[in-house]
Amino acid sequence: MASWVLSECGIKPLPRFYPKPTTSFASNPAPTCKFSPPITPLSSLKSRNGFFARTRNWKLNVATPLSTLESPSEEEQTTRFDPGAPPPFNLADIRAAIPKHCWVKNPWRSMSYVVRDVAIVFGLAAVAAYFNNLLLWPLYWFAQGTMFWALFVLGHDCGHGSFSNDPRLNSVAGHLLHSSILVPYHGWRISHRTHHQNHGHVENDESWHPLPESLYKKLEKTTQTFRFTLPFPMLAYPFYLWGRSPGKSGSHFDPDSDLFLPKEKKDVLTSTACWTAMAALLVSLSFVMGPIQMLKLYAIPYWVSDAIFVMWLDFVTYLHHHGHEDKLPWYRGKEWSYLRGGLTTLDRDYGWINNIHHDIGTHVIHHLFPQIPHYHLVEATEAAKPVLGKYYREPKDSGPLPLHLLGSLIKSMKQDHFVSDTGDVVYYETDPKLNGQRS
């Protein structure tokens, strides 16, 4: 054993002048040897300035197996954590840790959030129209865009079925909420379901998934620049609804798109009709109230404050899947699983916006169990943390506004460009030529 230890330390062993020790360092602190080396405390063996620094004649001091040198410290064990490794738990373990009441859907509570948010939307419009002040309008546009995002989140719950156990109520509420902000409810609901079912898969994921290197290099330079240069990616959502992501065809408005199954064609047509009806209503109101007033109340809120809504939407959905300090894996083939894909999502702290927007920061548990209502996600996440262990990445605390996340967003846009065409576990790579970066 001593010869093996010496060879591992890079030291040529001497011929055995003394008996080979048979006991541990602690039980036999003074090896049987004609030399009498000083006894070195066990703790000093771990210090770079301890045993080896003070000892010049290693051949006389190495007498017992230095197994303690090979035991990784707690810090080393932490750095060795591989987020792409299969987790030591399964979905059933996480589910068992979540309290039973967290799975209960309360339609009255869900509707109370709808009433509250719709009242705020109309109240903001009424106040802005009444004062009609040049200084007040920008504040209105920002506040209204933020509330549009709140309406979207509630419609999102309808799409997941976490709003209530009644599919008809979910459909009616979802259409009213999403159509009001010009989102095709069923078209989006189905594509978002595809995203949840395939999250973390390079090819099969639906939104904010990485581009394979070959596809990335086929994009025109203008497309590459717009995709990774702020603020353009934060305004991508309307274009995504009409044309999806690069490398994918179809539209959320087209029932014949490969996004949908044949049996879903009727649903898509219904949502497209509701979207068209909302657009027609807006045109009609512009004749009744005047185009300038509608421009300020809705058109600018849609293109400016709704740009804020779209920016909130893209900002939140992007950062739930990108921008962590460590590189997170994406999968293909047999390496992908629903659990492993879901564990690559991130929780975020959005400050006071978490309260307005129904705990949008708690995304990991939502991704794994989208049927849990938003008002139970925080409690469910806290209960699941002991099971998730290092696979849960604690979000950084935010101030009233999540300004700290801007750095994560900018860094990700500069670094996360594409993944390799080969390999079943891949990580984002950087195009050094984009944005004038040097390799």
Side-chain angles (χ1 to χ4, degrees), residues 156 160 188 190-200 205-207 321 336 338 341-342 363-371:
H156 162 274
H160 279 303
W188 171 86
I190 295 168
S191 73
H192 190 64
R193 179 192 64 196
T194 302
H195 165 60
H196 271 261
Q197 291 175 343
N198 297 278
H199 178 261
D205 202 346
E206 176 58 30
S207 59
H321 308 97
W336 180 88
Y338 181 84
H363 199 69
V364 176
I365 292 300
H366 165 69
H367 232 288
L368 294 173
F369 305 106
Q371 62 271 39

Side-chain angles (χ1 to χ4, degrees), residues 100-112:
K100 292 183 178 180
H101 68 267
C102 289
W103 303 89
V104 177
K105 308 165 191 176
N106 185 337
W108 292 106
R109 185 172 182 179
S110 298
M111 283 301 301
S112 70

